[in-house]
C-alpha cells in the first residue's frame, strides 16, 4: 500500500512542498519568532539587521509562503491528475515549480525589505496595516 502511494503521481514535490509552505506560513504568522536569535523564522542578511526588519520579514514571508503553498498544492494536484506515471517531465514540472516557489518567497521578502528600509535599517515608509 505504501509502495503504491510512493509510486503514484499524488506523491510529488509540488504537493508536499506546498503543504509544507502552508503549514510553515501559518505557524510563523500564528507564532512569530520573538527575536533574531529564535531557532525558526525567515533568516537572511537583511532580515537580521534589527528587530523591526526581523518582524517585517517574518510577517511578509509567512503571508507569501501561504500563498505560494496553495499555488504549489494546486499545481501538484493538477500534475497528479494529468500524468499517468512519474515520468521525467512530471519530475521537472513538480520539482521546478517547488524551486521557483522558494525563489519567489525569498525574492519577494528581500525586495520588500530593500524597499521599505534604508541602508541603516530604518523604515522609509510607514508600515502597511
Amino acid at each position: 500500500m505504501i509502495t503504491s502511494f510512493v509510486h503514484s503521481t499524488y506523491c510529488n514535490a509540488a504537493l508536499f512542498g506546498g503543504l509544507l509552505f502552508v503549514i510553515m506560513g501559518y505557524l510563523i504568522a500564528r507564532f512569530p519568532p520573538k527575536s533574531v536569535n529564535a531557532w525558526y523564522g525567515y533568516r537572511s542578511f537583511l532580515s537580521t539587521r534589527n528587530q523591526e526588519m526581523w518582524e517585517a520579514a517574518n510577517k511578509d514571508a509567512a503571508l507569501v509562503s501561504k500563498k505560494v503553498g496553495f499555488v504549489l498544492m494546486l499545481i501538484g494536484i493538477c500534475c497528479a491528475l494529468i500524468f499517468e506515471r512519474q515520468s521525467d517531465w512530471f519530475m521537472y514540472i513538480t520539482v521546478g515549480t517547488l524551486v521557483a516557489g522558494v525563489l519567489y518567497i525569498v525574492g519577494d521578502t528581500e525586495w520588500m525589505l530593500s524597499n521599505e528600509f534604508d541602508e541603516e535599517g530604518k523604515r522609509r515608509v510607514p508600515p502597511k496595516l
Side-chain angles (χ1 to χ4, degrees), residues 9-10 12 14-15 72-85 89-95 97:
T9 56
Y10 286 97
N12 66 58
L15 192 57
L72 284 173
M73 288 191 326
L74 181 65
I75 290 171
I77 291 170
C78 289
C79 285
L81 295 173
I82 292 171
F83 288 91
E84 295 178 8
R85 61 184 182 83
W89 280 104
F90 174 81
M91 295 296 178
Y92 297 150
I93 293 170
T94 58
V95 173
T97 55

Side-chain angles (χ1 to χ4, degrees), residues 37-104:
N37 295 327
W39 62 273
Y40 68 98
Y42 178 83
R43 188 176 312 277
S44 72
F45 177 73
L46 285 178
S47 69
T48 56
R49 280 194 178 166
N50 61 40
Q51 187 66 28
E52 189 178 12
M53 288 180 85
W54 173 255
E55 291 168 1
N58 279 285
K59 184 177 179 181
D60 185 69
L63 177 68
V64 173
S65 178
K66 287 189 279 188
K67 290 178 182 178
V68 167
F70 283 122
V71 170
L72 284 173
M73 288 191 326
L74 181 65
I75 290 171
I77 291 170
C78 289
C79 285
L81 295 173
I82 292 171
F83 288 91
E84 295 178 8
R85 61 184 182 83
Q86 293 182 355
S87 64
D88 287 343
W89 280 104
F90 174 81
M91 295 296 178
Y92 297 150
I93 293 170
T94 58
V95 173
T97 55
L98 180 63
V99 170
V102 170
L103 292 174
Y104 182 79

Side-chain angles (χ1 to χ4, degrees), residues 1 3 10 18 101:
M1 172 141 166
T3 310
Y10 286 97

